[in-house]
Amino acid sequence: MNELLLYGQRRDSISDNMIYKNDAVSQECFIRDTICAYFLHVPAFSISSHISKSIVLPVYGFVMRNGIKIIARDNFYGWIVSIELPKPLPVGYLYKDLFSYGIDNNQIKYAEGFKQEWIYDCYDENNTDCTKFTVAVDDKYKFYMLMYLLNKAFENIKFEIDDRDIAEITEVIKEIYTHNGFYNIEENNDLGFKRMKRTMSGFDILRFTHYALSDIRRKENKYDDMEIADNPDLYAEYIYKNPEIKKAFLMEEYMFKTKF
């Protein structure tokens, strides 16, 4: 089960005395918001970490709706990006000018925070069988262009409605919530008992499922979608009964369960 980038940001805040704190936060928000939330409409995950300028930074993982898997990191000097495709790209589809390394046999050997299995061969525009490659990108503008081109490359996956019952959907929601800070329990030493302290809300975790729920509830002039999202049992009922909400949920479930 993958961990949301937002959960890691809230849990592992960067000290104010770090000179590069603003750059680190900007980098993380660029992936979380600009790339994943607003452009691709998918969740962003933290799948590993590395250190640059004495700051612990995430290695980012996310999946486009067309099935392309991305692993990336930025050490303040540039991006290393590993790309896994569901099928090869057309010959010459990507502009080689986007890349500073990872082309013309100039293979990337190492990337901070990457497992060795995440580092692939160079991008070869003439290899009609290539479905995995690792490249270096100088800045976030070229990174955005790379994501734009890849997002256009294939049709989106169609998530078919399955026949799971409400109880099974509830268990999946609880598993995702548990892994992403919804059920954190904190000791209250002053009063001597434990109380629930949530790092994340249901809206934060299953954001795109919540958007689908919210659209439907507002058409009914009802504005209780936040409360529904915070109740896994009730949430599962709405997901089970409404095909549009369920399609959104199936997409996010797929993303959370993707292995990087």
Side-chain angles (χ1 to χ4, degrees), residues 15-236:
S15 173
D16 288 338
N17 63 6
M18 291 293 180
I19 295 173
Y20 278 79
K21 176 179 179 176
N22 289 341
D23 297 286
V25 172
S26 175
Q27 171 197 131
E28 294 179 22
C29 290
F30 170 68
I31 290 292
R32 188 195 74 201
D33 299 332
T34 304
I35 296 295
C36 288
Y38 302 142
F39 176 50
L40 298 174
H41 308 297
V42 298
F45 302 106
S46 173
I47 59 173
S48 182
S49 63
H50 64 106
I51 297 175
S52 185
K53 305 295 185 184
S54 300
I55 296 176
V56 178
L57 297 166
V59 173
Y60 309 101
F62 54 91
V63 186
M64 297 183 181
R65 293 193 183 215
N66 60 15
I68 294 178
K69 188 188 299 183
I70 303 293
I71 298 170
R73 75 98 182 99
D74 177 14
N75 65 355
F76 301 120
Y77 296 101
W79 293 88
I80 301 293
V81 189
S82 284
I83 297 159
E84 183 176 339
L85 307 163
K87 58 184 178 181
L89 293 166
V91 172
Y93 180 77
L94 295 178
Y95 307 117
K96 293 169 68 174
D97 289 347
L98 287 173
F99 312 129
S100 53
Y101 292 95
I103 52 173
D104 299 329
N105 296 317
N106 192 354
Q107 185 175 2
I108 293 166
K109 306 288 187 182
Y110 174 74
E112 302 95 325
F114 275 43
K115 298 177 183 178
Q116 192 58 40
E117 66 204 58
W118 293 342
I119 301 177
Y120 309 133
D121 291 336
C122 294
Y123 171 62
D124 182 353
E125 63 182 352
N126 297 310
N127 183 351
T128 56
D129 296 320
C130 178
T131 57
K132 296 181 180 181
F133 54 91
T134 300
V135 291
V137 181
D138 287 334
D139 55 50
K140 66 181 183 182
Y141 304 104
K142 289 183 178 180
F143 184 94
Y144 190 101
M145 177 57 72
L146 176 60
M147 296 303 108
Y148 175 82
L149 292 170
L150 291 173
N151 187 51
K152 289 179 58 179
F154 308 122
E155 293 294 321
N156 287 347
I157 299 170
K158 293 194 169 43
F159 295 95
E160 301 296 334
I161 302 297
D162 58 27
D163 58 358
R164 283 179 293 178
D165 61 25
I166 293 174
E168 291 173 305
I169 295 171
T170 302
E171 287 307 306
V172 173
I173 294 171
K174 288 181 177 178
E175 182 184 5
I176 293 172
Y177 279 14
T178 299
H179 198 74
N180 285 279
F182 186 80
Y183 294 113
N184 284 358
I185 297 176
E186 184 175 272
E187 183 78 31
N188 187 326
N189 294 324
D190 294 335
L191 300 177
F193 64 87
K194 288 184 178 180
R195 62 185 175 85
M196 193 75 75
K197 181 180 179 181
R198 290 178 181 168
T199 307
M200 302 277 281
S201 69
F203 162 76
D204 292 322
I205 299 171
L206 289 172
R207 175 164 295 189
F208 299 99
T209 306
H210 179 266
Y211 288 158
L213 169 71
S214 178
D215 286 344
I216 288 167
R217 296 300 285 169
R218 276 158 174 70
K219 288 175 185 176
E220 299 171 349
N221 289 320
K222 296 178 181 177
Y223 301 89
D224 54 357
D225 42 279
M226 289 288 204
E227 290 81 0
I228 293 170
D230 281 344
N231 184 331
D233 296 283
L234 184 58
Y235 208 1

